[in-house]
Every structure is written in structure tokens, then in C-alpha cells.
Amino acid sequence: MIRFGMIGTNFITERFIDAARQCEGIELTAVYSRTENRAQEFANRYGIGLTFTDLNEMVASDRIDAVYIASPNSLHAEQSILFLKQGKHVLCEKPMASNAQEVREMFAAAKESGAVLMEAVKTTLLPSFTLLRENLHKIGTVRRYFANYGQYSSRYDAYKEGMVLNAFRPEFSNGALMDLGLYCIYPMVLLFGKPEEVKASAYMLDSGVDGEGSLLARYPDMEGVVTFSKITDSHVPSEIQGELGSILIDKISEPRSVQIRYRDGSVEDLSEPAGKPVMSYEIQEFVDTIRSGAFESSINSHACSLAAAEVMEEARRQFGLVFPADRKYSEQK
């Protein structure tokens, strides 16, 4: 039984709890919040026995084997490394860190301790995406990967009224690319590897983060086109175009309907309903990786997470988005 502690008491953590209770080999034992009242209220609501307001006390607990980190993006690296150095396994919410250097340091800490570190990207572990991977060869040589994710943020109305919440603040390493663009980029690097070149642009908000943007990824025999937005909705599906046909994906962040449309007009449906909370698949993959004795997930691998981080870092460089976490490394050079 893997005993889990949770860092964060937001809606993502609530979804994690619902999903974890559908998984085998998990016991939810502890929760961390900055305030005792919030930690206790959250623990009572979900029947969790331990609460912490001090991460150093939490990491020292012998009743926690692994942690799920759902804190602001800017805290992912620091908190992950704290637990990894003590041999605690870490399932870190996406994006894994603010920049590629932080990701490398997280992997180094995991390697040194032998603990499992995995980025919690749900897309790549859902049943329909698994079938997509298994049937990708049927469309022949791939020439274009197109992924699109536009979702008007529930916090954007407040932003327009002058209230800048965390989702639009650079000190928390946020923005459309980090929060939504990753859902487009991660499947791309998993399926095709890291691109040779990236060209990116974005519309920058006055707060200092990107509201929406796009990037073009060049590969030797194909190109990747990615669009993302937190200030508009989009209903355009994503698509992988091959010489023998195309694979149409209804929602890249959470594929439900996946179809191969062949050049002769025939259609093959690869859709497979999730059947349980969508986060269950990433949690089970993480737990199974630990129990197997493997160092990392074979799907949400270290190489995939680092490639995605490097693509996003280069994109941010091109449209001028610098996080405080980036400046820390530039000052060290």
C-alpha cells in the first residue's frame, strides 16, 4: 500500500482524491496547507488522518511514502526536491517546473535517492490516447501534428476588472502556455520526440504572462502546429495528418473521441470511454511504476517531461516571458 500525502487543497486536489479512491494500492494519509484551519477542514471533509502546515515536518513523517504536489507552478521544483531527497516518491502536477533547469535538478534528486518522479499529465495515459499510439502507424508517414486548446479562464473576468489572480501572475510561473499549451506539447514530444526548431509568438497581458499564443515545431519530415489560449474558447479539434489518413482528436487535454479518417473515405473509431475519473489513469501509472521497482514511467518519462519543458522555455524566450524563477538561474551564471 502506497501511503500518499497531498500538497495543496484546491479543486485539483479534490479531483485527485476522487480519482485516487478508484485506484488500487493507495492510502490517502495526509494533507498539507499553509493554514491549520484549511488543512483541518479539508482533512475532515475527506476523512484524512494527518494534517501539516510545515513541509519539513511532513517530509520527516514515517507515515508517508509518496506525495502529490498541486501547489502553484513556481513551487513545484523546490517542494519536489525536498521530498525526493528524503526518498519520498513524487507525482507532480503539470507543468513539472518553471523551466528546464528546475526539471533537470528534480530528476537529479530523484536519481540520487532512487525515488520515482512523474509529471501528472493525464492525456497520455487515457484509454483513447493509448489506442491512438497503438494505431498511429495506420496513417502512414506523419506530415503534420496539429493540437489546439483554447479555454476561457474563469479568472479572466476578474482580471479585466483589475483583480490579477494567481492564474495570470508571472511570479507563480503561470500563463496560457504553461497551463494549457503543455497539453498540446506533451503528446507531441511523446509521439515524435523533441523538435529541431521552435518558432513561437503570443499575446502578452499587462500582468506579464501570455493570454494566448501559438508555436511551430520543425521536425525532419513533419511539422507540429500548436495553438493555446486562456482568453478565448475554441471548439476546433486536434489532428495528426499522415499520408494515408488523419487521426481526429476531439479534445487534446482529455481525448474521448478519436477517429482515423482514411483517404478512401472510411472511418475507424478508436474511442474508448474512460470509465472512471480521468486522473485515475495517471495515478495508477505512478503507483504501478513504484510497485514494479522501475525508476520512472515508460510513458510520462523523464525524457518526455524535459523535452516539453525545453520547448516551452524556448517559446517563452521568443515571446519575452520571463519568470522570477528564470532570473534565479541567470543570476547564478
Side-chain angles (χ1 to χ4, degrees), residues 21-279:
R21 288 177 170 163
Q22 301 293 316
C23 297
E24 298 178 357
I26 293 177
E27 180 183 351
L28 301 177
T29 60
V31 63
Y32 164 86
S33 182
R34 289 173 297 173
T35 65
E36 179 62 38
N37 287 344
R38 176 59 176 162
Q40 198 61 57
E41 183 274 329
F42 195 86
N44 290 342
R45 193 194 323 163
Y46 290 102
I48 296 167
L50 290 175
T51 61
F52 294 93
T53 57
D54 185 320
L55 285 179
N56 289 312
E57 291 181 6
M58 187 177 186
V59 76
S61 173
D62 61 2
R63 295 173 63 184
I64 298 172
D65 304 309
V67 290
Y68 169 65
I69 296 179
S71 54
N73 300 339
S74 56
L75 299 177
H76 287 181
E78 177 185 348
Q79 293 176 347
S80 294
I81 290 170
L82 176 67
F83 282 86
L84 290 166
K85 285 186 173 180
Q86 294 301 315
K88 310 287 189 185
H89 308 292
V90 174
L91 178 62
C92 185
E93 193 51 71
K94 62 85 198 165
M96 182 164 274
S98 299
N99 52 54
Q101 183 56 33
E102 286 188 345
V103 172
R104 295 185 191 99
E105 292 180 1
M106 293 163 73
F107 290 154
K111 184 175 182 180
E112 184 176 349
S113 69
V116 172
L117 169 63
M118 191 183 98
E119 188 169 9
V121 179
K122 61 185 176 182
T123 298
T124 48
L125 294 159
L126 290 173
S128 287
F129 191 85
T130 299
L131 287 173
L132 183 158
R133 291 180 66 201
E134 293 172 353
N135 290 274
L136 183 61
H137 65 280
K138 293 181 179 179
I139 64 171
T141 302
V142 174
R143 294 305 187 190
R144 177 176 289 117
Y145 168 92
F146 169 72
N148 170 63
Y149 192 4
Q151 182 173 297
Y152 189 95
S153 172
S154 60
R155 298 168 179 84
Y156 188 50
D157 287 336
Y159 177 87
K160 290 189 289 185
E161 293 174 2
M163 185 184 302
V164 183
L165 301 175
N166 291 358
F168 293 105
R169 294 173 64 180
E171 55 265 44
F172 290 110
S173 303
N174 281 327
L177 174 67
M178 300 291 279
D179 293 344
L180 301 185
L182 175 66
Y183 281 116
C184 302
I185 294 167
Y186 203 96
M188 180 179 74
V189 298
L190 173 61
L191 294 172
F192 307 109
K194 183 182 174 183
E196 295 181 340
E197 183 182 9
V198 171
K199 294 183 179 179
S201 63
Y203 171 72
M204 300 298 292
L205 300 173
D206 291 340
S207 66
V209 302
D210 56 318
E212 63 85 30
S214 61
L215 66 85
L216 181 67
R218 183 173 63 82
Y219 290 86
D221 300 313
M222 58 166 279
E223 66 178 7
V225 181
V226 168
T227 60
F228 49 91
S229 175
K230 292 188 74 172
I231 59 176
T232 58
D233 283 323
S234 177
H235 305 283
V236 176
S238 298
E239 186 178 41
I240 303 173
Q241 301 170 8
E243 293 186 353
L244 301 180
S246 296
I247 299 179
L248 201 64
I249 307 158
D250 63 339
K251 187 177 182 182
I252 193 63
S253 65
E254 195 176 307
R256 296 185 184 93
S257 174
V258 177
Q259 295 181 335
I260 301 179
R261 299 192 176 187
Y262 295 101
R263 291 184 59 240
D264 65 4
S266 61
V267 177
E268 181 178 358
D269 193 354
L270 303 179
S271 307
E272 183 174 331
K276 56 183 179 179
V278 292
M279 289 181 71

